[in-house]
Amino acid sequence: MAGDNTSSADFTLGGLFGTEKTGGLVFAVVCIVFFTALTANGVMVVLIRADARLHTPMYFLLSHLSLIDMLYISTIVPKMLVDYLRGQRTISFAGCTAQHFLYLTLVGAEFFLLGLMAYDRYVAICSPLRYPVLMSRRVCWLIVAGSWLGGSLDGFLLTPITMSFPFCGSRDIDHFFCEAPAVLRLACADTALYETVMYACCVLMLLTPSSVVVASYARILAAVHRMSSAEGRRKAFATCSSHMIVVTLFYGAAMYTYMVPQAYHQPAQDKVFSVFYTILTPMLNPLIYSLRNKDVAGALQRALRRLRGSQRVSREAF
């Protein structure tokens, strides 16, 4: 297979689980993270959809963030887990192409959405009287559509070029999924021009939204600092700091992967950084942004009461 230069030949993924001694433990941890991410994000989508009190711009954007996270983690982790159980690590050329496209589209959409969500919080705290106008339903839909469009353009632009390079030698991808830098290491052609184009795309898709996040939270913290209530300041600082930790992990790990020159990369380090923004962030987002929120906790309690009430009525009917 190593000498096969046809586009239909399979790739072999290096995986994430390491040796047999540690593989089982890492597999269990990844399983827990994956199902926690699916459950937490799924609960968020259902609650925001079902509870009228959560029909606000902030929760509308959070529901789409949860949807992206569910799709995002599902493009990578299920195959990785199934391959470990089956004792295989191959992925077809078509499968690698599809995974690469979906990953770029979804991660790109999340890059933009997180930046615009920070702007939403800035408007809510610093210009509350103008909030209904600046964050109208139409604006919210434009934010969501723009995020998906930006991510899709990234996927449609970079995926065909990445997968069109000839792979003359080894087809062993030293990574746990078909990420562009890992795939490009196998190409037997000059990729310098393409890497420059990819770098320019990443500057646009990473630095622009991350700059919006930093600027928004800087203005928010300045406004919070002027609050007269010490308790209000404490809560606001705690919320902002937790948000910034998640955003820093997400953008920081992605910047390392796509903006640091490849000469400074090591496959083992690349896997660790990729874990932060492909596996951990989809689990952390609903826990940090939403489920610790009193409004969401109240909506969850009301939903559970309705569920218990319907079950009681069903038992009484029989």
Side-chain angles (χ1 to χ4, degrees), residues 108-224:
E110 185 152 336
F111 286 151
F112 288 120
L113 186 58
L114 281 174
L116 293 167
M117 284 171 60
Y119 169 75
D120 166 74
R121 290 298 81 209
Y122 159 71
V123 174
I125 294 174
C126 299
S127 301
L129 297 179
R130 301 178 63 197
Y131 185 74
V133 176
L134 295 176
M135 291 301 298
S136 64
R137 187 169 183 80
R138 178 174 177 272
V139 172
C140 290
W141 276 110
L142 286 175
I143 287 174
V144 171
S147 299
W148 279 102
L149 178 61
S152 298
L153 287 175
D154 191 41
F156 279 115
L157 174 64
L158 297 182
T159 301
I161 304 175
T162 302
M163 304 309 293
S164 66
F165 283 108
F167 304 103
C168 306
S170 171
R171 286 180 172 265
D172 294 339
I173 300 174
D174 196 358
H175 212 330
F176 59 89
F177 72 105
C178 292
E179 192 166 29
V183 174
L184 287 177
R185 293 193 194 106
L186 306 182
C188 54
D190 185 7
T191 61
L193 178 60
Y194 171 61
E195 289 179 13
T196 302
V197 173
M198 186 167 66
Y199 179 84
C201 288
C202 292
V203 167
L204 174 65
M205 298 191 66
L206 286 169
L207 291 186
T208 302
S210 61
S211 298
V212 173
V213 170
V214 171
S216 297
Y217 276 107
R219 297 293 298 272
I220 289 171
L221 290 175
V224 168

Side-chain angles (χ1 to χ4, degrees), residues 40-41 44 47-48 54 56-66 69 110-122 209-210 212-214 216-217 220 238-251 280-297:
N41 284 294
M44 279 304 306
L47 283 179
I48 293 171
L54 300 182
T56 65
M58 180 181 76
Y59 291 113
F60 175 80
L61 298 179
L62 280 172
S63 68
H64 284 272
L65 178 66
S66 290
D69 280 335
E110 185 152 336
F111 286 151
F112 288 120
L113 186 58
L114 281 174
L116 293 167
M117 284 171 60
Y119 169 75
D120 166 74
R121 290 298 81 209
Y122 159 71
S210 61
V212 173
V213 170
V214 171
S216 297
Y217 276 107
I220 289 171
T239 301
C240 288
S241 61
S242 61
H243 289 187
M244 285 302 298
I245 289 172
V246 175
V247 167
T248 301
L249 286 174
F250 186 61
Y251 285 114
L280 291 181
T281 301
M283 178 191 71
L284 291 176
N285 278 340
L287 300 179
I288 296 296
Y289 280 100
S290 307
L291 295 179
R292 293 170 65 241
N293 185 293
K294 289 183 178 179
D295 293 336
V296 176

Side-chain angles (χ1 to χ4, degrees), residues 16 39-40 131 145 161 165 182 206 234 259 284 302 304 308:
L16 181 66
T39 302
Y131 185 74
I161 304 175
F165 283 108
L206 286 169
R234 187 189 66 79
M259 298 181 67
L284 291 176
R302 288 190 293 273
L304 291 175
R308 286 195 292 266

